[in-house]
Amino acid sequence: MNYRLLGKTGFNVSEISLGTWQVGGRWGEPFNEKTAETIIHSAIDAGVNFIDTADVYSDGLSEAAVAKVVKSRSEEVFVATKCGRQIQPHISEGYTPEKLTSYVEQSLRNTKLETLDLVQLHCPPTEVYTRPEIFGVFDRLKEQGKIRNLGVSVELVDEALMAMRYPNVTTVQVIFNMFRLKPSELLFTAASENNIGLIVRVPLASGLLTGKMSHQTTFNPEDHRAFNRNGEAFDKGETFSGVDFDLGLEAVEELKTLFPGQELLAAWALRWVLMFPEVSTVIPGASRPEQVSSNLAAAGLPALSQEQMNGVRAVYDKYIRPTVHQQW
């Protein structure tokens, strides 16, 4: 495992880490604590030392499972969680210092940890980034020893740039993959200049970039890929990176021609993310232990050639850029 600096946190984190949105069960399936713990243990066994969760993942069960495993291990493993998505309706007015403080305290109870390594605002409405009192809450929480660092998880590049104006923001979590190139154009440079750690989520575009899907693929009715393709249930752009499913399948077939051989497209899609030195870590999810091994194997692949890098951009320009680029 290779490690990279996570910005101002000072943490050296595994370049491929673990996201736990669907840990312990596939999207749309009930949470399974034993499966979750097996997945988390297998990740740490392989050198992963950064795990991303959230208070809304399985109603706090994900946080609890992550912390239970981490506390049982001798290795130093950094736990990152998120808060804010419990607010309904999810509008700026719902964000108050009191609510956010209560969410952090609930995460501490869920995890039974004394201090949270990183707490991230969980894709708040854009207006929240203009409210200094919201960001000031986390200075007080840090002074109280409840958190070590503040980060933000964003939908838009502009939101990330707004968040960086606050000195206590140490990390930005953003969607970045072969179907979402916009962050590399401006955000990456700004993050490097401001010593902001970049956490890349949704690196496989909700599975599109595994190369395993087809026009006949179906999803569990409770799976967000069945009901949130256009942002009907939550943020547009999270599911399939906002790309039309059928168009994405066309683009995937062309991407496959750039990477002939035994390795699946998913591994190359993760290795592609790691080609960007500004990225601190990428957090693919796993619903089965074997997916952890598959994800981590990507770090051992050779660097992409310039021809392959250019090819990925050409596919993006042909299929993806015209419909979604400016939205994010």
Side-chain angles (χ1 to χ4, degrees), residues 32-43:
N32 184 301
E33 182 179 4
K34 183 177 181 181
T35 301
E37 291 179 5
T38 301
I39 289 168
I40 297 163
H41 273 298
S42 64

Side-chain angles (χ1 to χ4, degrees), residues 54-73:
D55 56 3
V56 293
Y57 294 171
S58 300
D59 295 323
L61 295 177
S62 174
E63 284 186 323
V66 169
K68 181 180 178 181
V69 172
V70 167
K71 287 188 293 183
S72 75
R73 304 287 301 222

Side-chain angles (χ1 to χ4, degrees), residues 71 108 111-116 144-147:
K71 287 188 293 183
L108 287 168
T111 59
K112 297 182 175 63
L113 295 171
E114 292 184 2
T115 304
L116 297 166
Q144 294 166 2
K146 295 177 179 178
I147 72 169

Side-chain angles (χ1 to χ4, degrees), residues 8-22:
K8 290 186 283 188
T9 69
F11 302 159
N12 279 307
V13 300
S14 42
E15 61 182 10
I16 298 181
S17 296
L18 179 65
T20 61
W21 182 4
Q22 78 271 38

Side-chain angles (χ1 to χ4, degrees), residues 205-274:
S206 306
L208 257 179
L209 289 169
T210 63
K212 296 180 178 180
M213 294 183 179
S214 71
H215 295 288
Q216 287 71 48
T217 299
T218 60
F219 304 102
N220 185 307
E222 300 301 315
D223 187 323
H224 70 102
R225 294 172 295 185
F227 61 78
N228 194 57
R229 291 193 182 187
N230 299 302
E232 297 91 340
F234 54 90
D235 303 287
K236 184 179 180 181
E238 286 282 344
T239 302
F240 299 132
S241 294
V243 174
D244 176 79
F245 184 70
D246 292 331
L247 181 67
L249 291 176
E250 289 186 54
V252 162
E253 290 307 307
E254 197 155 324
L255 285 171
K256 287 179 180 179
T257 66
L258 300 173
F259 305 100
Q262 298 299 312
E263 296 294 339
L264 296 173
L265 180 61
W268 287 112
L270 292 172
R271 185 65 183 89
W272 176 87
V273 172
L274 297 178

Side-chain angles (χ1 to χ4, degrees), residues 22-30 220 223 225 287-288 290-291:
Q22 78 271 38
V23 74
R26 295 180 179 87
W27 281 313
E29 294 183 358
N220 185 307
D223 187 323
R225 294 172 295 185
S287 58
R288 303 185 305 277
E290 54 268 31
Q291 289 180 336

Side-chain angles (χ1 to χ4, degrees), residues 42-257:
S42 64
I44 298 173
D45 288 344
V48 168
N49 73 342
F50 181 84
I51 302 177
D52 179 83
T53 184
D55 56 3
V56 293
Y57 294 171
S58 300
D59 295 323
L61 295 177
S62 174
E63 284 186 323
V66 169
K68 181 180 178 181
V69 172
V70 167
K71 287 188 293 183
S72 75
R73 304 287 301 222
S74 60
E75 303 92 335
E76 181 177 37
V77 180
F78 302 107
V79 176
T81 191
K82 310 183 199 73
C83 66
R85 291 314 292 239
Q86 295 185 60
I87 295 169
Q88 295 297 330
H90 192 234
I91 57 177
S92 176
E93 290 78 5
Y95 278 72
T96 66
E98 295 76 18
K99 280 186 179 179
L100 293 173
T101 297
S102 72
Y103 295 150
V104 170
E105 291 174 344
Q106 181 60 54
S107 289
L108 287 168
R109 289 191 291 272
N110 289 344
T111 59
K112 297 182 175 63
L113 295 171
E114 292 184 2
T115 304
L116 297 166
D117 294 317
L118 175 65
V119 173
Q120 304 155 94
L121 287 172
H122 198 169
C123 298
T126 302
E127 295 81 0
V128 170
Y129 296 96
T130 68
R131 298 176 56 194
E133 76 276 14
I134 296 301
F135 290 81
V137 170
F138 296 91
D139 280 332
R140 293 191 290 277
L141 289 167
K142 185 174 181 180
E143 291 167 2
Q144 294 166 2
K146 295 177 179 178
I147 72 169
R148 296 176 68 183
N149 294 280
L150 169 67
V152 294
S153 184
V154 303
E155 295 294 345
L156 308 176
V157 168
D158 286 347
E159 292 171 345
L161 298 175
M162 293 167 70
M164 288 183 198
R165 297 173 189 168
Y166 295 96
N168 62 345
V169 170
T170 64
T171 65
V172 167
Q173 184 175 142
V174 66
I175 297 175
F176 179 62
N177 57 51
M178 290 176 170
F179 287 168
R180 181 74 69 89
L181 269 61
K182 187 175 181 179
S184 65
E185 295 180 352
L186 180 59
L187 173 58
F188 283 15
T189 298
S192 181
E193 291 174 348
N194 289 279
N195 194 22
I196 297 293
L198 283 178
I199 302 166
V200 169
R201 74 177 187 276
V202 198
L204 301 179
S206 306
L208 257 179
L209 289 169
T210 63
K212 296 180 178 180
M213 294 183 179
S214 71
H215 295 288
Q216 287 71 48
T217 299
T218 60
F219 304 102
N220 185 307
E222 300 301 315
D223 187 323
H224 70 102
R225 294 172 295 185
F227 61 78
N228 194 57
R229 291 193 182 187
N230 299 302
E232 297 91 340
F234 54 90
D235 303 287
K236 184 179 180 181
E238 286 282 344
T239 302
F240 299 132
S241 294
V243 174
D244 176 79
F245 184 70
D246 292 331
L247 181 67
L249 291 176
E250 289 186 54
V252 162
E253 290 307 307
E254 197 155 324
L255 285 171
K256 287 179 180 179
T257 66

